[in-house]
Coordinates of all heavy atoms in Angstrom, one line a residue:
A158 N -17.7 23.4 16.9 CA -16.7 22.4 17.1 C -16.6 21.9 18.6 O -16.2 20.8 18.9 CB -15.3 23.0 16.7
T159 N -17.1 22.7 19.5 CA -16.9 22.4 20.9 C -18.2 22.2 21.7 O -18.2 21.5 22.7 CB -16.1 23.5 21.6 OG1 -16.8 24.8 21.5 CG2 -14.7 23.7 21.0
L160 N -19.3 22.8 21.2 CA -20.5 22.8 22.1 C -21.7 22.1 21.4 O -22.8 22.0 22.0 CB -20.9 24.2 22.4 CG -19.9 25.0 23.2 CD1 -20.5 26.4 23.4 CD2 -19.6 24.3 24.6
S161 N -21.6 21.7 20.1 CA -22.8 21.2 19.4 C -23.3 19.8 19.7 O -24.5 19.6 19.6 CB -22.4 21.3 17.9 OG -21.4 20.4 17.6
R162 N -22.4 18.9 20.1 CA -22.8 17.5 20.2 C -23.9 17.3 21.3 O -24.9 16.6 21.0 CB -21.5 16.7 20.5 CG -21.8 15.2 20.5 CD -20.6 14.3 20.7 NE -20.9 12.9 20.6 CZ -20.8 12.2 19.5 NH1 -20.5 12.8 18.4 NH2 -21.1 10.9 19.5
K163 N -23.7 17.8 22.5 CA -24.6 17.6 23.5 C -26.0 18.2 23.3 O -27.0 17.9 23.9 CB -24.1 18.1 24.9 CG -22.9 17.2 25.3 CD -22.3 17.7 26.7 CE -21.1 16.9 27.1 NZ -20.6 17.4 28.5
Q164 N -26.0 19.2 22.4 CA -27.3 19.9 22.0 C -27.9 19.4 20.7 O -28.8 20.0 20.2 CB -27.1 21.4 22.0 CG -26.6 22.0 23.3 CD -27.5 21.6 24.5 OE1 -28.7 21.5 24.3 NE2 -26.9 21.5 25.7
E165 N -27.3 18.3 20.2 CA -27.8 17.7 18.9 C -27.8 18.7 17.8 O -28.8 18.8 17.1 CB -29.1 17.1 19.1 CG -29.2 16.0 20.3 CD -28.3 14.8 20.0 OE1 -27.8 14.7 18.9 OE2 -28.1 14.1 21.0
L166 N -26.7 19.5 17.6 CA -26.6 20.5 16.6 C -25.3 20.4 15.8 O -24.6 21.4 15.7 CB -26.7 21.9 17.2 CG -28.1 22.3 17.8 CD1 -28.0 23.5 18.8 CD2 -29.1 22.6 16.7
P167 N -25.0 19.3 15.2 CA -23.7 19.1 14.6 C -23.7 19.8 13.2 O -24.7 20.0 12.6 CB -23.6 17.6 14.3 CG -25.1 17.2 14.2 CD -25.8 18.0 15.2
C168 N -22.5 20.3 12.9 CA -22.2 21.0 11.6 C -21.3 20.2 10.7 O -20.4 19.4 11.3 CB -21.7 22.4 11.8 SG -22.8 23.5 12.6
V169 N -21.3 20.4 9.4 CA -20.4 19.8 8.5 C -19.7 20.9 7.7 O -20.4 21.6 7.0 CB -21.1 18.8 7.5 CG1 -20.1 18.2 6.6 CG2 -21.8 17.7 8.3
F170 N -18.4 21.0 7.8 CA -17.7 22.0 7.0 C -17.0 21.4 5.8 O -16.3 20.4 5.9 CB -16.6 22.7 7.9 CG -17.2 23.3 9.1 CD1 -16.7 22.9 10.4 CD2 -18.2 24.2 9.1 CE1 -17.2 23.5 11.5 CE2 -18.7 24.8 10.2 CZ -18.2 24.5 11.5
I171 N -17.3 21.9 4.6 CA -16.7 21.3 3.4 C -15.7 22.3 2.8 O -16.0 23.5 2.5 CB -17.8 21.1 2.3 CG1 -18.8 20.1 2.9 CG2 -17.2 20.5 1.1 CD1 -20.0 20.7 3.5
T172 N -14.4 21.8 2.7 CA -13.3 22.7 2.2 C -12.4 21.9 1.3 O -12.6 20.7 1.1 CB -12.5 23.2 3.4 OG1 -11.9 22.1 4.1 CG2 -13.4 23.9 4.5
H173 N -11.3 22.6 0.8 CA -10.4 22.0 -0.1 C -9.2 21.4 0.7 O -8.4 20.6 0.1 CB -9.9 23.0 -1.1 CG -10.9 23.4 -2.0 ND1 -11.6 22.6 -2.9 CD2 -11.5 24.6 -2.2 CE1 -12.5 23.2 -3.6 NE2 -12.5 24.5 -3.2
N174 N -9.0 21.8 1.9 CA -7.9 21.3 2.7 C -8.2 21.4 4.2 O -9.3 21.9 4.6 CB -6.5 22.0 2.4 CG -6.6 23.5 2.7 OD1 -6.8 23.9 3.8 ND2 -6.4 24.3 1.7
N175 N -7.3 20.9 5.1 CA -7.6 21.0 6.5 C -6.6 21.9 7.2 O -6.3 21.7 8.4 CB -7.7 19.6 7.1 CG -6.3 19.0 7.2 OD1 -5.4 19.3 6.5 ND2 -6.1 18.0 8.1
T176 N -6.1 22.9 6.5 CA -5.2 23.9 7.2 C -6.1 25.0 7.6 O -7.3 25.1 7.3 CB -4.1 24.4 6.2 OG1 -4.8 25.1 5.2 CG2 -3.3 23.2 5.6
Q177 N -5.5 25.9 8.3 CA -6.3 27.1 8.8 C -6.8 27.9 7.7 O -7.8 28.6 7.8 CB -5.4 28.0 9.7 CG -6.2 29.0 10.5 CD -5.4 29.5 11.7 OE1 -5.0 28.7 12.6 NE2 -5.2 30.8 11.8
S178 N -6.2 27.8 6.5 CA -6.7 28.6 5.4 C -8.0 28.1 4.9 O -8.7 28.8 4.2 CB -5.7 28.5 4.2 OG -5.6 27.1 3.7
C179 N -8.4 26.9 5.3 CA -9.7 26.3 4.8 C -10.8 27.1 5.4 O -12.0 27.1 4.8 CB -9.8 24.9 5.2 SG -10.1 24.5 6.9
L180 N -10.6 27.9 6.5 CA -11.6 28.7 7.1 C -11.2 30.2 7.0 O -11.6 31.0 7.8 CB -11.9 28.3 8.5 CG -12.4 26.9 8.7 CD1 -12.5 26.5 10.2 CD2 -13.7 26.7 8.1
G181 N -10.5 30.5 5.9 CA -10.2 31.9 5.6 C -9.2 32.5 6.5 O -9.2 33.7 6.8
E182 N -8.2 31.7 7.0 CA -7.2 32.2 7.8 C -7.7 32.8 9.1 O -7.1 33.7 9.6 CB -6.3 33.2 7.1 CG -5.6 32.6 5.8 CD -4.5 31.6 6.2 OE1 -4.2 31.4 7.4 OE2 -3.9 30.9 5.3
I183 N -8.8 32.4 9.6 CA -9.3 32.9 10.9 C -8.4 32.4 12.0 O -8.1 31.2 12.2 CB -10.7 32.4 11.1 CG1 -11.7 32.9 10.0 CG2 -11.2 32.9 12.5 CD1 -13.1 32.3 10.2
K184 N -7.9 33.4 12.7 CA -6.9 33.0 13.8 C -7.5 32.3 14.9 O -8.7 32.5 15.3 CB -6.2 34.3 14.3 CG -5.4 35.0 13.2 CD -4.7 36.3 13.8 CE -3.9 36.9 12.7 NZ -3.2 38.2 13.2
G185 N -6.7 31.4 15.5 CA -7.2 30.7 16.7 C -7.9 29.4 16.5 O -8.5 28.8 17.4
L186 N -8.1 29.0 15.2 CA -8.8 27.8 14.9 C -8.0 26.6 14.6 O -8.5 25.5 14.4 CB -9.8 28.1 13.8 CG -10.9 29.2 14.0 CD1 -11.8 29.3 12.8 CD2 -11.7 28.9 15.2
A187 N -6.7 26.8 14.5 CA -5.8 25.7 14.1 C -6.0 24.4 15.0 O -6.1 23.3 14.5 CB -4.4 26.1 14.0
N188 N -6.0 24.7 16.3 CA -6.1 23.5 17.2 C -7.4 22.8 17.1 O -7.6 21.6 17.2 CB -5.8 24.0 18.6 CG -4.3 24.3 18.9 OD1 -3.4 23.8 18.2 ND2 -4.0 25.2 19.8
L189 N -8.5 23.7 17.0 CA -9.8 23.1 16.8 C -9.9 22.2 15.6 O -10.5 21.1 15.6 CB -10.9 24.2 16.8 CG -11.3 24.9 18.1 CD1 -12.3 26.0 17.8 CD2 -11.8 23.8 19.0
I190 N -9.4 22.7 14.5 CA -9.4 21.9 13.2 C -8.6 20.6 13.4 O -9.1 19.6 12.9 CB -8.8 22.8 12.1 CG1 -9.7 24.0 11.8 CG2 -8.8 21.9 10.8 CD1 -9.1 25.0 10.9
S191 N -7.5 20.7 14.0 CA -6.7 19.5 14.1 C -7.4 18.4 15.0 O -7.1 17.2 14.8 CB -5.3 19.8 14.8 OG -5.4 20.3 16.1
R192 N -8.2 18.8 15.9 CA -8.9 17.9 16.8 C -10.2 17.4 16.2 O -10.8 16.5 16.7 CB -9.1 18.5 18.2 CG -7.9 18.8 19.0 CD -8.2 19.0 20.4 NE -9.1 20.1 20.6 CZ -8.8 21.3 20.9 NH1 -7.5 21.7 20.8 NH2 -9.7 22.2 21.1
M193 N -10.7 18.1 15.2 CA -12.0 17.9 14.7 C -12.1 16.5 13.9 O -11.1 16.1 13.3 CB -12.4 19.0 13.7 CG -13.9 19.1 13.3 SD -14.2 20.4 12.2 CE -13.7 21.8 13.2
Q194 N -13.2 15.9 14.0 CA -13.4 14.7 13.2 C -13.4 15.0 11.7 O -13.9 16.0 11.3 CB -14.8 14.1 13.5 CG -15.1 12.8 12.7 CD -16.1 12.0 13.4 OE1 -15.9 11.5 14.5 NE2 -17.3 11.8 12.8
Q195 N -12.6 14.3 10.9 CA -12.4 14.6 9.5 C -12.5 13.4 8.6 O -12.2 12.3 9.0 CB -11.0 15.2 9.4 CG -10.7 16.5 10.2 CD -9.3 17.0 10.0 OE1 -8.8 17.0 8.9 NE2 -8.7 17.6 11.0
I196 N -12.8 13.8 7.3 CA -12.7 12.8 6.2 C -12.0 13.5 5.0 O -12.5 14.5 4.6 CB -14.0 12.2 5.9 CG1 -13.9 11.1 4.7 CG2 -15.1 13.2 5.5 CD1 -15.1 10.3 4.5
Q197 N -11.0 12.9 4.5 CA -10.3 13.4 3.3 C -10.7 12.4 2.1 O -10.3 11.2 2.1 CB -8.8 13.4 3.4 CG -8.2 14.0 2.1 CD -6.7 13.7 2.1 OE1 -6.1 13.0 2.9 NE2 -6.0 14.4 1.2
L198 N -11.5 12.9 1.2 CA -11.8 12.2 0.0 C -10.6 12.1 -1.0 O -10.0 13.1 -1.3 CB -13.0 12.8 -0.7 CG -14.4 12.5 -0.1 CD1 -14.7 11.0 -0.1 CD2 -14.6 13.1 1.2

Side-chain angles (χ1 to χ4, degrees):
T159 60
L160 301 177
S161 61
R162 187 177 181 88
K163 292 181 180 180
Q164 300 304 327
E165 304 298 349
L166 290 164
C168 292
V169 180
F170 302 125
I171 300 96
T172 66
H173 295 295
N174 60 61
N175 73 337
T176 67
Q177 192 160 302
S178 65
C179 73
L180 298 176
E182 298 291 353
I183 299 175
K184 295 181 179 180
L186 296 183
N188 288 333
L189 280 180
I190 296 170
S191 67
R192 296 196 302 268
M193 195 180 297
Q194 182 158 296
Q195 301 181 35
I196 179 168
Q197 181 194 12
L198 282 300

